Amino acid sequence: FLLSLKLENKTKVKLQKQICQVILDHFEKQYMTELGDAWTSVRDVLTSPLCWQYAVLLNKFSQSTELENTLPVKGYHPALQGSLPYLPASFKCYIRRTPGRFPAQKHQAGKLKEYYLLNAASLLPVLALEVNDGEGVLDLCAAPGGKAVAMLQCAYPGQFHCNEYDDLRSRWLKQTLESFIPDPLANLITVSKLDGREIGDLKPEFYDKVLVDAPCSNDRSWLFSCDTQQATLRLIQRKELSSLQFQLLRSAIKALRPGGSLVYSTCTLSKAENSDVINLVLNSCSNVMPVDISEMAKAVSQEFAFLSGMQQHELLVLPEKGRAWGPMYVAKLMKL
Protein backbone atom coordinates (compact mmCIF):
# COMPACT_ATOMS: atom_id res chain seq x y z
CA PHE A 1 0.00 0.00 0.00
CA LEU A 2 2.82 2.41 0.95
CA LEU A 3 4.58 1.63 -2.33
CA SER A 4 1.45 2.36 -4.38
CA LEU A 5 0.95 5.60 -2.41
CA LYS A 6 4.55 6.59 -3.13
CA LEU A 7 4.09 5.82 -6.83
CA GLU A 8 0.86 7.79 -6.91
CA ASN A 9 2.52 10.81 -5.29
CA LYS A 10 5.46 10.49 -7.66
CA THR A 11 3.04 10.48 -10.61
CA LYS A 12 1.26 13.55 -9.21
CA VAL A 13 4.56 15.41 -8.83
CA LYS A 14 5.62 14.34 -12.33
CA LEU A 15 2.34 15.57 -13.83
CA GLN A 16 2.59 18.87 -11.97
CA LYS A 17 6.18 19.34 -13.16
CA GLN A 18 5.28 18.77 -16.79
CA ILE A 19 3.08 21.86 -17.18
CA CYS A 20 4.75 24.18 -19.67
CA GLN A 21 4.62 27.66 -18.13
CA VAL A 22 5.22 29.52 -21.42
CA ILE A 23 2.16 27.85 -22.97
CA LEU A 24 0.03 28.32 -19.84
CA ASP A 25 0.89 32.04 -19.68
CA HIS A 26 -0.06 32.43 -23.34
CA PHE A 27 -3.36 30.56 -22.85
CA GLU A 28 -4.07 32.62 -19.72
CA LYS A 29 -3.92 35.88 -21.68
CA GLN A 30 -5.83 34.66 -24.71
CA TYR A 31 -8.55 32.57 -23.09
CA MET A 32 -9.30 34.95 -20.24
CA THR A 33 -10.27 37.42 -22.98
CA GLU A 34 -12.13 34.91 -25.18
CA LEU A 35 -13.86 32.76 -22.56
CA GLY A 36 -14.17 35.17 -19.62
CA ASP A 37 -15.12 33.54 -16.32
CA ALA A 38 -15.42 30.09 -17.94
CA TRP A 39 -11.62 29.97 -18.43
CA THR A 40 -10.86 29.50 -14.71
CA SER A 41 -12.70 26.18 -14.41
CA VAL A 42 -11.48 25.04 -17.86
CA ARG A 43 -7.88 25.80 -16.85
CA ASP A 44 -8.32 23.77 -13.64
CA VAL A 45 -9.27 20.71 -15.70
CA LEU A 46 -6.67 21.16 -18.45
CA THR A 47 -3.84 21.47 -15.93
CA SER A 48 -4.97 18.46 -13.82
CA PRO A 49 -4.60 15.25 -15.87
CA LEU A 50 -5.65 13.23 -12.83
CA CYS A 51 -9.23 14.49 -13.33
CA TRP A 52 -9.35 13.69 -17.06
CA GLN A 53 -11.87 11.13 -18.28
CA TYR A 54 -11.78 8.63 -21.14
CA ALA A 55 -14.65 7.11 -23.07
CA VAL A 56 -14.73 3.50 -24.28
CA LEU A 57 -15.96 3.16 -27.87
CA LEU A 58 -16.86 -0.47 -28.56
CA ASN A 59 -15.73 -2.05 -31.82
CA LYS A 60 -18.71 -3.72 -33.54
CA PHE A 61 -16.30 -5.80 -35.62
CA SER A 62 -14.96 -7.50 -32.50
CA GLN A 63 -17.96 -7.68 -30.18
CA SER A 64 -17.51 -8.98 -26.66
CA THR A 65 -20.47 -9.68 -24.36
CA GLU A 66 -18.02 -10.07 -21.50
CA LEU A 67 -16.72 -6.54 -22.04
CA GLU A 68 -20.25 -5.10 -22.17
CA ASN A 69 -21.00 -6.83 -18.87
CA THR A 70 -17.75 -5.63 -17.27
CA LEU A 71 -18.16 -1.93 -18.05
CA PRO A 72 -21.25 -1.28 -15.85
CA VAL A 73 -19.53 -3.10 -12.96
CA LYS A 74 -16.66 -0.61 -13.29
CA GLY A 75 -19.05 2.35 -13.16
CA TYR A 76 -19.48 2.95 -16.91
CA HIS A 77 -22.83 3.74 -18.53
CA PRO A 78 -23.85 4.18 -22.19
CA ALA A 79 -23.04 7.70 -23.39
CA LEU A 80 -25.08 9.87 -25.76
CA GLN A 81 -28.46 8.64 -24.61
CA GLY A 82 -30.35 11.80 -25.58
CA SER A 83 -32.71 11.91 -28.56
CA LEU A 84 -29.94 12.63 -31.05
CA PRO A 85 -30.89 13.41 -34.66
CA TYR A 86 -28.35 10.74 -35.73
CA LEU A 87 -27.27 7.83 -33.53
CA PRO A 88 -27.00 4.43 -35.27
CA ALA A 89 -27.80 1.40 -33.08
CA SER A 90 -24.39 -0.09 -33.93
CA PHE A 91 -22.64 2.88 -32.33
CA LYS A 92 -21.89 2.04 -28.68
CA CYS A 93 -19.86 4.21 -26.35
CA TYR A 94 -19.47 4.06 -22.56
CA ILE A 95 -18.39 6.74 -20.10
CA ARG A 96 -18.24 7.24 -16.36
CA ARG A 97 -18.35 10.34 -14.20
CA THR A 98 -15.14 9.58 -12.32
CA PRO A 99 -11.66 10.18 -13.75
CA GLY A 100 -9.40 7.38 -14.87
CA ARG A 101 -8.73 5.26 -17.87
CA PHE A 102 -9.89 1.78 -18.82
CA PRO A 103 -6.81 -0.41 -19.57
CA ALA A 104 -5.59 0.03 -23.15
CA GLN A 105 -5.26 -2.97 -25.47
CA LYS A 106 -1.96 -3.56 -27.26
CA HIS A 107 -1.75 -3.74 -31.04
CA GLN A 108 -1.51 -7.37 -32.16
CA ALA A 109 -1.11 -8.20 -35.84
CA GLY A 110 -4.10 -10.16 -37.11
CA LYS A 111 -6.20 -9.53 -33.98
CA LEU A 112 -8.88 -6.87 -33.74
CA LYS A 113 -9.15 -4.69 -30.64
CA GLU A 114 -12.48 -4.69 -28.80
CA TYR A 115 -12.58 -0.98 -27.96
CA TYR A 116 -11.01 2.40 -28.61
CA LEU A 117 -10.23 4.82 -25.75
CA LEU A 118 -10.86 8.47 -26.54
CA ASN A 119 -12.08 11.87 -25.40
CA ALA A 120 -15.87 11.53 -25.74
CA ALA A 121 -16.13 15.02 -27.28
CA SER A 122 -14.24 13.79 -30.34
CA LEU A 123 -17.30 11.69 -31.26
CA LEU A 124 -19.40 14.82 -31.82
CA PRO A 125 -17.87 15.67 -35.25
CA VAL A 126 -18.66 12.09 -36.36
CA LEU A 127 -22.28 12.32 -35.20
CA ALA A 128 -22.62 15.77 -36.80
CA LEU A 129 -21.40 14.40 -40.15
CA GLU A 130 -24.22 11.79 -40.26
CA VAL A 131 -22.53 9.24 -42.55
CA ASN A 132 -24.91 6.81 -44.28
CA ASP A 133 -24.34 3.46 -45.99
CA GLY A 134 -23.01 3.75 -49.53
CA GLU A 135 -21.84 7.38 -49.33
CA GLY A 136 -18.44 8.56 -50.53
CA VAL A 137 -16.58 9.86 -47.48
CA LEU A 138 -13.29 11.74 -47.12
CA ASP A 139 -11.47 12.04 -43.78
CA LEU A 140 -9.02 14.76 -44.83
CA CYS A 141 -6.66 14.78 -41.81
CA ALA A 142 -7.37 11.29 -40.52
CA ALA A 143 -4.59 10.32 -38.07
CA PRO A 144 -4.54 8.84 -35.50
CA GLY A 145 -7.76 7.26 -36.85
CA GLY A 146 -10.24 7.40 -33.97
CA LYS A 147 -12.85 9.35 -35.94
CA ALA A 148 -12.45 7.01 -38.94
CA VAL A 149 -13.05 4.02 -36.62
CA ALA A 150 -16.09 5.80 -35.14
CA MET A 151 -17.53 6.54 -38.60
CA LEU A 152 -17.24 2.86 -39.51
CA GLN A 153 -19.17 1.95 -36.35
CA CYS A 154 -22.01 4.07 -37.78
CA ALA A 155 -22.19 3.05 -41.44
CA TYR A 156 -20.53 1.33 -44.39
CA PRO A 157 -19.45 4.07 -46.81
CA GLY A 158 -19.44 3.17 -50.53
CA GLN A 159 -15.91 4.52 -50.60
CA PHE A 160 -13.88 5.75 -47.66
CA HIS A 161 -10.76 7.83 -48.24
CA CYS A 162 -8.53 8.44 -45.20
CA ASN A 163 -5.78 10.96 -45.84
CA GLU A 164 -2.84 11.93 -43.61
CA TYR A 165 0.00 14.07 -44.92
CA ASP A 166 2.46 13.54 -42.05
CA ASP A 167 4.56 10.39 -42.50
CA LEU A 168 4.70 9.29 -38.86
CA ARG A 169 1.02 10.01 -38.26
CA SER A 170 0.13 8.17 -41.48
CA ARG A 171 1.79 5.00 -40.12
CA TRP A 172 -0.16 5.47 -36.89
CA LEU A 173 -3.39 5.77 -38.89
CA LYS A 174 -2.68 2.53 -40.79
CA GLN A 175 -2.01 0.69 -37.53
CA THR A 176 -5.27 1.99 -36.02
CA LEU A 177 -7.27 0.79 -39.02
CA GLU A 178 -5.49 -2.61 -38.86
CA SER A 179 -6.36 -2.89 -35.17
CA PHE A 180 -10.07 -2.15 -35.55
CA ILE A 181 -11.29 -2.90 -39.06
CA PRO A 182 -11.55 -6.44 -40.52
CA ASP A 183 -9.68 -7.17 -43.79
CA PRO A 184 -12.66 -7.31 -46.20
CA LEU A 185 -13.74 -3.81 -45.12
CA ALA A 186 -10.19 -2.46 -44.66
CA ASN A 187 -9.50 -3.36 -48.30
CA LEU A 188 -12.22 -0.92 -49.36
CA ILE A 189 -10.55 1.95 -47.49
CA THR A 190 -8.09 4.13 -49.41
CA VAL A 191 -5.27 5.51 -47.26
CA SER A 192 -3.22 8.32 -48.82
CA LYS A 193 -0.48 10.78 -47.81
CA LEU A 194 -1.53 13.71 -49.98
CA ASP A 195 -1.30 17.38 -49.09
CA GLY A 196 -4.89 18.02 -47.96
CA ARG A 197 -4.82 21.44 -49.63
CA GLU A 198 -4.56 19.74 -53.04
CA ILE A 199 -7.25 17.04 -52.72
CA GLY A 200 -10.02 19.41 -53.87
CA ASP A 201 -8.22 19.90 -57.20
CA LEU A 202 -7.37 16.20 -57.52
CA LYS A 203 -10.89 14.96 -56.71
CA PRO A 204 -13.34 17.78 -57.51
CA GLU A 205 -16.97 17.21 -56.43
CA PHE A 206 -16.20 13.59 -55.62
CA TYR A 207 -17.45 13.03 -52.04
CA ASP A 208 -20.83 13.15 -50.29
CA LYS A 209 -19.35 13.84 -46.85
CA VAL A 210 -16.03 15.34 -45.76
CA LEU A 211 -14.55 15.54 -42.27
CA VAL A 212 -11.84 18.16 -41.73
CA ASP A 213 -10.44 17.39 -38.28
CA ALA A 214 -7.80 20.03 -38.78
CA PRO A 215 -4.24 20.28 -37.44
CA CYS A 216 -4.56 22.75 -34.56
CA SER A 217 -2.89 23.97 -31.41
CA ASN A 218 -4.00 21.01 -29.29
CA ASP A 219 -4.54 22.71 -25.92
CA ARG A 220 -4.30 19.56 -23.77
CA SER A 221 -1.10 18.16 -25.22
CA TRP A 222 0.63 21.52 -25.69
CA LEU A 223 0.33 22.25 -21.96
CA PHE A 224 2.35 19.16 -21.08
CA SER A 225 4.53 18.05 -23.94
CA CYS A 226 7.15 20.69 -24.55
CA ASP A 227 10.19 22.50 -23.20
CA THR A 228 10.48 26.30 -23.32
CA GLN A 229 12.26 26.34 -26.69
CA GLN A 230 9.69 24.05 -28.35
CA ALA A 231 6.87 26.04 -26.72
CA THR A 232 8.17 29.33 -28.13
CA LEU A 233 8.42 27.79 -31.60
CA ARG A 234 4.89 26.38 -31.32
CA LEU A 235 3.47 29.76 -30.36
CA ILE A 236 5.10 31.32 -33.44
CA GLN A 237 3.68 28.53 -35.65
CA ARG A 238 0.28 28.91 -33.98
CA LYS A 239 -0.25 32.20 -35.79
CA GLU A 240 0.01 30.40 -39.14
CA LEU A 241 -2.42 27.58 -38.33
CA SER A 242 -5.62 29.46 -39.20
CA SER A 243 -4.30 30.06 -42.72
CA LEU A 244 -3.60 26.32 -43.17
CA GLN A 245 -7.04 25.45 -41.74
CA PHE A 246 -8.73 27.86 -44.16
CA GLN A 247 -6.85 26.32 -47.12
CA LEU A 248 -7.80 22.78 -46.02
CA LEU A 249 -11.45 23.84 -45.79
CA ARG A 250 -11.37 25.44 -49.26
CA SER A 251 -9.93 22.17 -50.61
CA ALA A 252 -12.58 20.12 -48.80
CA ILE A 253 -15.36 22.28 -50.28
CA LYS A 254 -13.97 21.70 -53.79
CA ALA A 255 -13.92 17.93 -53.10
CA LEU A 256 -17.59 17.94 -52.02
CA ARG A 257 -20.47 17.20 -54.35
CA PRO A 258 -23.21 19.86 -54.45
CA GLY A 259 -25.66 18.96 -51.68
CA GLY A 260 -22.87 17.26 -49.73
CA SER A 261 -21.94 18.26 -46.20
CA LEU A 262 -18.75 18.99 -44.36
CA VAL A 263 -17.82 19.01 -40.68
CA TYR A 264 -14.86 21.04 -39.42
CA SER A 265 -13.40 20.24 -36.00
CA THR A 266 -10.42 21.10 -33.80
CA CYS A 267 -9.35 20.29 -30.24
CA THR A 268 -8.45 23.87 -29.34
CA LEU A 269 -10.41 26.63 -27.62
CA SER A 270 -8.81 29.26 -29.86
CA LYS A 271 -11.35 31.51 -31.61
CA ALA A 272 -8.77 32.27 -34.36
CA GLU A 273 -8.71 28.56 -35.31
CA ASN A 274 -12.43 27.96 -34.82
CA SER A 275 -15.19 30.53 -35.42
CA ASP A 276 -12.88 32.95 -37.26
CA VAL A 277 -11.87 30.27 -39.82
CA ILE A 278 -15.50 29.24 -40.41
CA ASN A 279 -16.63 32.88 -40.72
CA LEU A 280 -13.87 33.51 -43.27
CA VAL A 281 -15.05 30.49 -45.30
CA LEU A 282 -18.69 31.58 -45.14
CA ASN A 283 -17.77 35.13 -46.19
CA SER A 284 -15.48 34.09 -49.04
CA CYS A 285 -17.21 30.99 -50.47
CA SER A 286 -20.63 31.74 -51.92
CA ASN A 287 -21.33 28.03 -52.56
CA VAL A 288 -21.55 26.96 -48.89
CA MET A 289 -24.09 27.57 -46.18
CA PRO A 290 -24.09 26.86 -42.43
CA VAL A 291 -26.05 23.84 -41.12
CA ASP A 292 -27.84 24.03 -37.76
CA ILE A 293 -26.40 21.51 -35.23
CA SER A 294 -28.06 22.97 -32.15
CA GLU A 295 -30.44 19.96 -31.83
CA MET A 296 -27.46 17.63 -31.46
CA ALA A 297 -25.90 19.93 -28.86
CA LYS A 298 -29.18 20.07 -26.93
CA ALA A 299 -29.50 16.27 -26.95
CA VAL A 300 -26.06 15.77 -25.35
CA SER A 301 -26.10 18.76 -22.98
CA GLN A 302 -26.26 16.42 -19.95
CA GLU A 303 -22.88 14.94 -20.86
CA PHE A 304 -21.02 17.96 -22.26
CA ALA A 305 -20.56 21.57 -21.17
CA PHE A 306 -20.77 24.03 -24.08
CA LEU A 307 -19.66 27.63 -24.43
CA SER A 308 -22.76 29.81 -24.61
CA GLY A 309 -23.34 32.40 -27.31
CA MET A 310 -22.19 30.26 -30.26
CA GLN A 311 -23.92 30.31 -33.67
CA GLN A 312 -26.37 27.48 -34.50
CA HIS A 313 -23.94 25.84 -36.93
CA GLU A 314 -21.15 25.51 -34.35
CA LEU A 315 -20.41 24.35 -30.81
CA LEU A 316 -17.44 24.40 -28.44
CA VAL A 317 -17.12 21.76 -25.71
CA LEU A 318 -15.55 23.15 -22.53
CA PRO A 319 -13.93 20.67 -20.11
CA GLU A 320 -15.23 20.83 -16.55
CA LYS A 321 -14.79 18.56 -13.52
CA GLY A 322 -17.01 15.48 -13.79
CA ARG A 323 -17.46 16.27 -17.50
CA ALA A 324 -13.79 16.63 -18.43
CA TRP A 325 -14.42 16.27 -22.17
CA GLY A 326 -13.01 18.59 -24.80
CA PRO A 327 -11.87 21.08 -25.81
CA MET A 328 -13.65 20.28 -29.08
CA TYR A 329 -14.93 22.73 -31.65
CA VAL A 330 -17.42 21.47 -34.26
CA ALA A 331 -19.00 23.33 -37.20
CA LYS A 332 -21.11 22.02 -40.08
CA LEU A 333 -21.48 23.39 -43.61
CA MET A 334 -23.33 22.28 -46.73
CA LYS A 335 -22.29 22.81 -50.36
CA LEU A 336 -24.93 24.38 -52.58
Side-chain angles (χ1 to χ4, degrees), residues 249 253 256-264 278-279 281-293 311-314 331-336:
L249 269 171
I253 291 162
L256 257 190
R257 289 189 179 125
S261 50
L262 174 156
V263 166
Y264 173 76
I278 290 295
N279 288 338
V281 165
L282 288 170
N283 291 331
S284 61
C285 302
S286 57
N287 61 341
V288 286
M289 62 174 279
V291 178
D292 188 345
I293 53 170
Q311 301 290 309
Q312 288 186 318
H313 61 272
E314 60 177 358
K332 187 170 184 177
L333 306 174
M334 187 176 105
K335 186 169 181 175
L336 302 169

Side-chain angles (χ1 to χ4, degrees), residues 24 31 99 157 223 232 242 251 256 296:
L24 184 58
Y31 294 149
L223 272 170
T232 311
S242 56
S251 174
L256 257 190
M296 182 185 83

